[in-house]
């Protein structure tokens, strides 16, 4: 295997670093190709998605590098879907970016900042984004913890204007803290104003938080949020579909918004002017059929005009507190404890909790909740009940499963 | 005709004063009987309504006074609708109130304060209340101008909490002034807080305003609004289904709310706590199928919690300005002026405007609009156009129709 002028001995360790795990030879090729594609096609490029879906990332990249002709590309696509004009335009878009050394440099830069590359099929791939269909991301560059990525399926996006008011920030702080308490992770876009407050409040509540960026994960934007984003990388996750080194652009902000909407169970607009960019995220959520909420505010505040517009004209639900936000996308609650048969081996929550526990490595409640996909409350309740039964035990650094004969076998 | 111990010579001038016009002998009897019934049955008494609908106000009152027996009452009702238990209970409710001298005193008191009695069929009867069906008022005691009563079909009710905030009062002032500018009359309940502000702002904008009271129109409630209610009587109208001398009660406030909702084209809740009485008005509007709006506010303000609840759980429309409130219940707008055929004799607006004008008595724009059922804007536009055509003329005290040969004949 030789790609982009790199031999196997160079590709393998790089790809393994980006994947964060050992891969088969073919998976290595595909991952490498998706990494390259993420620098060739702009986010949301439907034709790149169609090519990769149809022929695979590696094969379509090989064809592109070999000739980049309309004929060679058309041969990879199912008949009738794409006309030649579209292919010509796509090749014109991609050709200036067929720069192997830039691609390899960006991968090496990713490895340097401990970024990983998630591709569809990865256990941590946020399956919500697959609902974007032809506009789904080809790959996601990630810096952060597994727990934060695993928490995405139970996340709510809190978004809003950069020009937030004290009111908007206050409400966002209450919302993020309240949702974390109810077992949700907080997704946002790391911008000034509402976004930043959403991340900060989630971190302050020891919750999971994920920031989607419009540029590479090695260059934090806005730069005034360097410290915040560094903390999110340490305790949450930062995600982008752009490779390292790429700057954010207007287009990329809009495309980033579709990821925020798709990766979350629901989107809540906290505060937004009449033309705020967060209305774009709301529109994506709505198009995807994701629940959409908006927080009302004073009608005398221009910073709430976009929220009122969403409630009035776009059937966003009027949400005023974390309970109402949680109702948009309820998490499975553990059933009443000690009810008939609730704690027998067939209880799905119990099974999931056990799967999330280790006999040897103590784990904190938040970590267990993230792994099990259960709310913090549910985990605490189940742990309490199971401790009484002697099934689990609390150690200094967290909870462990009590070893049984079956575990020692 | 003798009723309640009064002979014809006493009844006729009293009834004529209450009706504000000459009536046939039978209409006099019916009006007198409805006046009496309004002091016998509490507002919303379905059985009284059924009796009067079935047998007429005078005949059912006569039967009630003659024997007040279950048998005599059942004979007046269509079979099967009412069981004897209900009749027994109704008679027990009504019997303590069969006091002819009290009834006559309250009518004389009404005449003293220049109150009139509207009954169904009166040209100024607000037909919207008929949508209450079996709960429709039997009669309405009124003090105020004909123009205000005539404006009810194009009114919007602005209601809300007594414990209004500065925010709520500000928004109410803007709403009332803006709706008056758009040709609407303002209906409310004359309470402290939002209601009072709605009336005041309508008066300040030289608009029509109507206050529905829960007690007699001779005793203003709350007493702190004496001056305001006196002004509403002079420039608008005060309405109650209770006869003079009756105090407001909790029940009567709730029943009064149904009149506010039914008499208006739409109801907007400006500010309301979680359990505000104005939510009762909103519920009536909703039950009647009237458009319902609510003004959002800060989620941190308990005074807006009821509004958010209406938007969230009761499908109230989120309205933030007078335009959005007007959209709840649009008035017929005059078509574009000078368009093809718009100003020919077949234009309905022109016909209605001419009907509202007198050759001899100059009338102000607001008065003309009220009579014609057109918006102020429409009247001003049409008057301007017709003045150019020489059809109307402005005098010192208002507009007149220019006399033509047809008028002199």
């Amino acid at each position: 295997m030789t790609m982009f002028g790199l031999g196997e001995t160079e590709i393998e360790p790089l790809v393994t670093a980006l994947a964060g795990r050992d891969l088969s030879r073919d998976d290595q090729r595909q991952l490498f190709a998706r990494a390259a594609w993420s620098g060739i096609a702009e986010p949301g490029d439907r034709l790149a998605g169609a090519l990769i879906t149809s022929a695979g990332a590696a094969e379509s990249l090989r064809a592109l590098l070999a000739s980049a002709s309309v004929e060679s590309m058309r041969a990879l696509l199912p008949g009738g879907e794409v006309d030649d004009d579209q292919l010509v335009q796509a090749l014109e878009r991609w050709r200036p970016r067929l720069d192997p050394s830039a691609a390899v440099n960006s991968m090496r830069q990713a490895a340097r900042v401990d970024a990983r590359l998630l591709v569809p099929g990865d256990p941590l791939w946020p399956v919500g984004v697959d609902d974007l269909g032809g506009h789904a991301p080809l790959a996601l560059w990630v810096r952060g913890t597994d727990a934060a990525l695993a928490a995405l399926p139970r996340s709510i996006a809190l978004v809003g204007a950069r020009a937030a008011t004290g009111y908007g920030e206050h409400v966002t702080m209450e919302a993020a803290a309240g949702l974390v308490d109810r077992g949700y992770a907080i997704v946002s876009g790391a911008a000034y104003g509402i976004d930043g407050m959403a991340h900060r409040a989630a971190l302050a509540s020891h919750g999971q938080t994920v920031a989607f960026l419009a540029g590479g994960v090695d260059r934090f934007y806005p730069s005034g949020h360097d410290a915040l984003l560094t903390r999110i990388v340490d305790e949450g996750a930062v995600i982008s579909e752009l490779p390292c080194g790429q700057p954010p652009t207007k287009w990329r902000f809009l495309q980033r918004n579709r990821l925020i909407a798709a990766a979350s169970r629901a989107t809540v607009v906290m505060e937004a002017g009449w033309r705020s960019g967060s209305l774009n995220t709301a529109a994506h959520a709505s198009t995807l059929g994701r629940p959409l909420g908006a927080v009302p505010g004073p009608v005398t505040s221009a910073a709430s005009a976009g929220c009122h517009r969403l409630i009035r004209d776009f059937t966003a639900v009027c949400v005023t507190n974390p309970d109402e936000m949680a109702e948009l996308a309820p998490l499975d609650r553990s059933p009443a404890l000690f009810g008939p048969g609730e704690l027998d081996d067939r209880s799905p929550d119990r099974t999931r909790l056990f799967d999330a526990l280790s006999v040897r490595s103590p784990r904190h409640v938040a970590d267990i909740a993230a792994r099990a996909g259960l709310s913090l409350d549910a985990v605490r309740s189940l742990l309490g009940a199971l401790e009484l039964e002697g099934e689990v035990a609390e150690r200094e650094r967290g909870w462990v499963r009590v070893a049984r004969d079956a575990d020692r076998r």
Side-chain angles (χ1 to χ4, degrees), chain A:
Chain A
M1 177 172 101
T2 309
M3 288 181 92
F4 270 13
L6 294 191
E8 226 162 75
T9 51
E10 290 167 296
I11 289 177
E12 185 169 345
L14 183 55
V15 166
T16 303
L18 294 181
R21 58 196 175 116
D22 291 329
L23 295 177
S24 71
R25 198 48 59 90
D26 186 57
D27 283 350
Q28 285 182 23
R29 289 181 68 234
Q30 298 297 344
L31 188 101
F32 186 90
R34 282 191 182 254
W37 266 115
S38 80
I40 294 167
E42 274 294 309
D45 188 321
R46 189 183 276 279
L47 205 46
L51 264 178
I52 290 169
T53 303
S54 167
E59 178 63 13
S60 55
L61 179 65
R62 193 203 53 73
L64 183 65
L65 291 170
S67 80
S69 71
V70 171
E71 292 70 29
S72 63
M73 294 293 112
R74 201 192 312 103
L76 298 177
L77 288 166
E81 267 191 27
V82 177
D83 65 31
D84 281 0
D85 273 1
Q86 289 175 300
L87 266 178
V88 168
Q89 285 166 24
L91 288 171
E92 281 173 9
R93 290 198 297 270
W94 300 337
R95 207 173 280 126
R97 292 186 175 173
L98 294 179
D99 178 348
S101 70
V104 171
N105 280 343
S106 117
M107 293 185 217
R108 287 186 172 138
Q109 166 69 355
R112 265 194 297 276
V113 299
D114 281 332
R116 278 169 299 158
L117 187 67
L118 299 182
V119 295
D122 189 294
L124 290 170
W125 177 257
V127 290
V129 301
D130 294 339
D131 291 347
L132 291 163
H135 295 294
L138 308 174
L140 292 170
W141 298 90
V142 170
R143 292 172 73 185
T145 69
D146 285 3
L149 296 171
L152 273 174
R154 52 193 173 76
S155 66
I156 287 183
L158 301 184
V159 299
R162 279 183 285 273
T165 68
Y167 167 74
E169 293 190 341
H170 169 79
V171 175
T172 304
M173 187 185 67
E174 298 280 339
L179 288 171
V180 163
D181 283 349
R182 287 160 183 77
Y184 290 88
I186 304 299
V187 163
S188 198
Y192 291 125
I194 298 297
D195 288 19
M197 182 54 83
H199 293 301
R200 275 185 224 281
L203 292 170
S205 306
H206 307 290
Q208 297 294 353
T209 194
V210 177
F212 282 86
L213 300 187
V217 292
D218 61 325
R219 42 160 65 198
F220 291 153
Y221 183 92
S223 59
H225 275 176
D226 259 353
L228 172 61
L229 282 159
T230 301
R231 218 183 131 198
I232 297 175
V233 165
D234 289 343
E235 302 174 38
V238 170
I239 303 183
S240 172
E241 56 187 321
L242 276 304
C244 283
Q246 289 296 316
T249 64
K250 172 82 177 159
W251 168 258
R252 290 169 179 178
F253 279 114
L254 293 173
Q255 293 299 309
R256 181 277 308 269
N257 292 343
R258 88 193 195 288
L259 297 185
I260 290 177
S264 311
R265 296 169 76 90
T267 294
V268 179
V269 181
M270 308 303 295
E271 201 172 47
W274 190 255
R275 298 180 181 282
S276 164
S278 55
L279 301 188
N280 173 254
T281 312
H284 281 299
S286 191
T287 305
L288 286 163
R290 295 279 197 282
L292 173 64
V295 176
V299 299
T300 47
S301 165
S304 286
C307 290
H308 298 148
R309 188 181 176 194
L310 288 173
I311 293 169
R312 182 178 154 77
D313 296 332
F314 298 93
T315 65
V317 178
C318 174
V319 288
T320 65
N321 58 44
D323 276 331
E324 293 176 355
M325 294 175 198
E327 271 177 47
L328 290 174
L331 296 178
D332 293 338
R333 286 273 156 189
S334 71
L337 289 169
F338 304 115
E342 291 302 349
L343 286 176
D344 72 12
D345 285 340
R346 286 179 299 280
S347 154
D349 285 358
R350 181 184 166 127
T351 306
R352 283 158 69 177
L353 186 83
F354 268 95
D355 287 346
L357 287 169
S358 159
V359 174
R360 275 165 293 269
S361 312
R363 285 176 186 152
H364 291 296
V365 169
D367 185 25
I368 298 165
R371 289 169 185 265
L374 297 171
S375 73
L376 291 178
D377 281 350
V379 168
R380 285 194 199 100
S381 300
L382 279 167
L383 286 173
L386 293 168
E387 186 178 30
L388 289 176
E389 290 180 55
E391 297 274 357
V392 302
E394 193 170 16
R395 304 273 178 262
E396 197 180 4
R397 294 181 50 233
W399 291 85
V400 293
R401 185 143 60 100
V402 173
R404 306 242 158 189
D405 287 348
D407 292 312
R408 296 196 191 96
R409 255 183 262 144

